[in-house]
Amino acid sequence: MTTLKIRGFKIALKYLHRPRNRSIWHYRRRVPKDLRQFYNAPHILRSLKTSDDAQAIKHLEFVNEDVEKEFMRLRMGLPKVKSGGAYKDGLNLLSQHGLAQGDFHQDSPEVEQKKDEFYDSLNDQVRAKLGYEKYKEWYFSPYKEVESVLPEKERSAFQLLKNEFSLTASDFPEEYIRLKDKEGDFKFVGQIENAMGFLLRHLPDKRPSAYRRSDVRALIEAGKLENLKTRSIQRHLSSIRAMFNKVSLELELKPDRDHPFTDFDIPHLGMDSISRTDFSYDELQKLRDAKPKRSEAIVWLIHLMMETGMRVNECCGIRIEDIKLQDEYPHVILHRNTFRRLKTKNSQRFVPLVGVAFEAARQAIIGSTSDWLLPAYIDLADQKTKNKSASAATNKFIKSTLVDSRSTCHSFRHTMSTRLREVGCPKSIVDELSGWSKGVSESYGSSADLKNKTKYLKSAVEAQHRTEI
C-alpha cells in the first residue's frame, strides 16, 4: 500500500505503485488464485500515464474498476476482454477482403479471386496458430476441420461467408448490448452480464436453440438452491429471453429464434419477497433533526428525498436553475440532462418543495460553488452523477441515526406514497409526483397543478402517518 500526502492529508492507496527509477505511476495488483490461468503473470501491471499524484489517484480508480469488471466477467465464464462482437468482427474482416455475407455461393471471377485471397489469409492464420509440424499434419489430413482451428474473428468471417454463422449463449450479451447501443449504461450491462453468468453457472454454453425446456426448469431450481428470490430468477430469465430474441432476429440466426426461454412458469412467484419497510413518523423526525458529522450535503440530500419522494439519482442531478424557490409554489423541475438520465420518460415532472426539502434546497443553493445543487455528487470528468456513492453515504447516515431500522434511502419513495395515500391524495397525483404516471393531467405544470400538489404534499409532511408492515 502506497501513502501519498496531498493538501496536508495523508492518503493510503491500494494498488498504486511506482517502479524503481521511474517517475510514472502504475496500477499493480495480484491476480486472484482462481483466475491465474487467464493471465501470463501473477500480477497485473498497468501504467497510469502520469507522474502527478492527484491525477494518479483519479486514474487509479478507473483502472481498478476496469480490472474488477474483468474479474467479474471471467468468473461468469465470459471472455476477459470485450471485442466488437463476433458478428461485427467477422463482417469487418470480410469487408477488408471485399467480401460480404453469403458470398461463398457467388461464382463470378472477381468474387472467386477475393475468396482465394481470403482463404490464403485463413491458411496463414492456421499455420501461425498451430506451428509448422502440427500445421503440416493438419494440412495433409483427409478429414481436416477448418473452423475448429481458426481464431475467433476468422472463424466468424468464414461462417458468415457460408451463411452458417452461429453464436453460443456466452456471445449473446456482447451482441445484445451493441445492438441496444447500451455500452455506456453500466447498470444495463451489469444486469445482462449477471443474467448470462447465472445461466453459465448451471448450464453448458450452447446456442439458444440447443437448450430444452428441461434446462429452463433446471435453471429455476438451481436459482432456488442459490437462495435467489423468485423475482430475481424471473429477471434473469427475462433478460436471457430478451437477449436471445433480439440478437437472433437482428443477426438472422433463424434456428435460434426457436428457444425454450419463453412462457416459463416459476412456482410461487413473489411469495418469498420481503416487503419494503416504510419509515415511521418518529424515524422521519429523527432524520429531520439529525446533524451532519461532516458534510451538510448528505443532510440536504436526505431532506430532499424525504419530503419529495425523488430518487437518489434525480436529486443528485438537479441544477440550480431547475429550482424555483421564488415561485408562488416553490418547486423543482425534474428533466433529463447530460449528467443524469431519468428512469422513464414520465419521470420528467414538477415537484413542490415543502417542509425541510424547501430549506435544504435553499441552503444547498447558498452552499453550492457551481451550477449544480449538490456538486459533491457530480462527476464533471465523466459527466455523470455519483448516485452510487450518494446511496451508500445516505444509507450509512440512516443506519447510524436509526440503528435498528431496516429502511434504506429508497424507502423514502415508498414512505411518501404511504403518506400521500393517508391524506387522501388521488392516485393520479401520487403517480405524477413519483414519476410513475403513464399520462399527465391537462393542467400539468400550471399554477393550479402546483397548488394542488403542494396542498397534498404539505398535508403528508404534517400528518402523523402510520407505518405499513
Side-chain angles (χ1 to χ4, degrees), residues 1-4 11-16 57 60:
M1 188 173 291
T2 302
T3 302
L4 296 181
I11 304 174
L13 296 159
K14 293 171 69 176
Y15 315 135
L16 187 63
I57 293 174
L60 182 76

Side-chain angles (χ1 to χ4, degrees), residues 270-278 406-407 411 414 468-469:
M271 293 181 66
D272 54 353
S273 298
I274 299 175
S275 299
R276 294 183 184 273
T277 306
D278 282 358
R406 290 189 297 142
S407 300
S411 301
H414 299 275
E468 291 192 347
I469 304 299

Side-chain angles (χ1 to χ4, degrees), residues 331-335 342 344-352 428-429 431-437 439-453:
H331 62 278
V332 57
I333 304 173
L334 280 181
H335 57 85
L342 296 181
T344 67
K345 181 179 179 181
N346 292 313
S347 294
Q348 179 170 308
R349 60 198 189 276
F350 295 79
V351 181
S428 60
I429 295 180
D431 289 347
E432 278 191 22
L433 286 169
S434 302
W436 293 327
S437 179
V440 294
S441 62
E442 292 181 4
S443 62
Y444 182 65
S446 67
S447 293
D449 179 56
L450 285 169
K451 178 181 179 180
N452 209 19
K453 289 176 180 174

Side-chain angles (χ1 to χ4, degrees), residues 172-191:
F172 272 71
E174 195 163 4
E175 298 292 352
Y176 184 61
I177 292 164
R178 179 181 64 81
L179 289 168
K180 297 284 285 185
D181 194 23
K182 293 280 191 176
E183 286 88 347
D185 189 335
F186 298 121
K187 183 176 180 180
F188 180 85
V189 171
Q191 177 183 329

Side-chain angles (χ1 to χ4, degrees), residues 254-303:
K254 294 181 181 179
D256 294 318
R257 294 185 199 176
D258 183 21
H259 62 80
F261 289 85
T262 58
D263 300 322
F264 47 79
D265 179 42
I266 302 176
H268 312 298
L269 179 64
M271 293 181 66
D272 54 353
S273 298
I274 299 175
S275 299
R276 294 183 184 273
T277 306
D278 282 358
F279 288 101
S280 68
Y281 178 84
D282 290 338
E283 287 176 332
L284 290 181
Q285 196 57 49
K286 285 181 182 178
L287 289 171
R288 289 190 188 99
D289 297 336
K291 303 299 180 185
K293 294 185 172 87
R294 295 181 183 174
S295 170
E296 286 188 300
I298 190 67
V299 171
W300 297 335
L301 177 59
I302 285 174
H303 287 179

Side-chain angles (χ1 to χ4, degrees), residues 178-226:
R178 179 181 64 81
L179 289 168
K180 297 284 285 185
D181 194 23
K182 293 280 191 176
E183 286 88 347
D185 189 335
F186 298 121
K187 183 176 180 180
F188 180 85
V189 171
Q191 177 183 329
I192 294 304
E193 293 189 343
N194 284 337
M196 185 52 62
F198 170 62
L199 184 148
L200 295 177
R201 282 198 302 275
H202 305 292
L203 296 176
D205 188 13
K206 301 188 288 188
R207 63 182 304 175
S209 57
Y211 291 110
R212 297 290 177 262
R213 293 294 292 185
S214 58
D215 291 322
V216 180
R217 292 195 297 273
L219 198 54
I220 292 170
E221 291 304 314
K224 291 179 180 179
L225 291 175
E226 276 191 16

